[in-house]
Amino acid sequence: MTPQLVVRRALWKDAPVDVLVAAGHILEVLPHDARRDFEAAWVVDAPGLLLFPSLIDCHTHLREPGFEYKEDMASGLAAAAAGGFGQVLCMANTTPVNDTAAVTQLMLDKAHEAWPFGPFPRPVGALTKGLCGVELAVMGELAEAGCVAFSNDGRPVENTELFRRAVEYAWDLGKRVIDHCEDPHMALGAGVNEGAVSSRLGLPAQPDVAEAMHVARDILLAEYLDIPIHVAHVSCRKSVELLAWAKKRGVPISAETCPHYLMLTEEAVEGYNTLAKVNPPLRTKDDVLALRQALAGGVVDCLCTDHAPHAAHEKETEFEDAPCGITGLDTALSTTWAMVGRGELTRADFLRAWTTAPAAIFDLPVCAFAPGDPADFFLFDPKARWVVGPETLKSKSKNTPLLGQAMTGRVTAHFLGGKNVL
Ligand code: DOR
């Protein structure tokens, strides 16, 4: 078969390779010095550029419908494309909430209008109607409309019986529940860790046990039902230790964490910095180290951005009034690849946590560069320097504590189904 595209001399795990693509799929990946003759409609020469499979972000907020002033499908997916993401699981805390097939369909239609060849949103349906935690959403209809998982997002279901039924129904539909683990009475939506910094600043705060107690509930439930539950954005050592215990016991539980929990601590909120206000909050150096180890050992399966765009006027206010959230689609690739460079994350863990693990957990297509895989990959210039700022971020919102920081590495081409979408 004549390839539609050949990408030549890109570096895959430090070795130059040629990638042959036909009919939107990988035909073959050859060492570059194999130098077979091939005719291709399109040849892209990529010396010095790194080859990566498109990443999967299993936790984003794309805000459409309802909060298009923060983000919409077009801008959120622009940030995804530039940030190396081919698929993003988008949460249901929109207005209206994604608790009907009509809202799911609207999300998919808007994405198709703006980005017909991807990146693709993978909607996460609401677990309960209106995310109110009282009545189950129409989960069957949501799954049929294209939801790939279910979650009550930032409003965890307190009623454990209802939650149990939701986990069971979701599994009957072949889907997993993603749970934002937080005891709402202890957490108060605070966005700052309970500890030295919160005391000094005099802010209402959230202790790590508010998360870990809820993780313990989910572990016990997953074991009892023998049904997997996915724990969202793990932020602390206590949760990691519980997950390690559970995995050792064979409990079907999976988990994700975000780049900000691997790199930043509660000190980032000093000066009442609302850009570092996020839920769950940034914790301590000890928590950061525990999370890095957990990723390395596979106790935490996936990375995700928890991309949570908010407008400047919403963040430029008193700390207690500002919404929680950090954007991440634009920056996550550079920051986590830099961790690989510093030896804080291995390349194998980086690839697993951004690609094969989320694909396996949520049953999504993934490119592992085997013949027949979707031709979803990107080229990355590891030397490109850029500064995080309003002009360099594609997301409509710029609420990241990394503003002004120098980054290394930029996506130069992003192929989805063999088409460059950038
Ligand atoms: O910081 C957060 N922001 N955490 C969440 O769980 C929700 C998110 C949002 O939607 O803004």
Side-chain angles (χ1 to χ4, degrees), residues 63 70 274 277-278 310-311 313-325 399:
R63 303 298 193 214
K70 298 178 195 247
T274 58
K277 181 177 180 185
V278 63
H310 292 292
H313 71 270
E314 294 170 311
K315 283 287 197 180
E316 284 163 13
T317 182
E318 296 297 313
F319 192 90
E320 286 173 63
D321 298 333
C324 289
N399 52 302

Side-chain angles (χ1 to χ4, degrees), residues 28 101 128 136 141 186 236 251 353-354 376 379 383 385 421:
E28 213 176 339
T128 62
L136 290 185
E141 284 176 34
M186 284 192 94
C236 62
V251 178
W354 279 128
D376 298 346
L379 297 171
K383 296 210 173 99
R385 308 271 299 165
V421 298

Side-chain angles (χ1 to χ4, degrees), residues 59-61 63 70 91 93 153-155 180 182 191 232-233 260-261 277-281 306-310 315 323-326 399:
H59 196 137
T60 65
H61 301 267
R63 303 298 193 214
K70 298 178 195 247
M91 289 292 155
N93 64 342
D153 195 39
R155 298 173 62 184
H180 171 122
E182 169 185 317
H233 42 48
H260 40 271
Y261 301 121
K277 181 177 180 185
V278 63
N279 190 21
D306 194 11
H307 178 79
H310 292 292
K315 283 287 197 180
C324 289
I326 290 178
N399 52 302

Side-chain angles (χ1 to χ4, degrees), residues 10-28:
L11 292 169
W12 172 237
K13 299 185 179 169
D14 300 329
V17 294
D18 295 341
V19 184
L20 281 60
V21 172
H25 290 79
I26 302 289
L27 197 58
E28 213 176 339

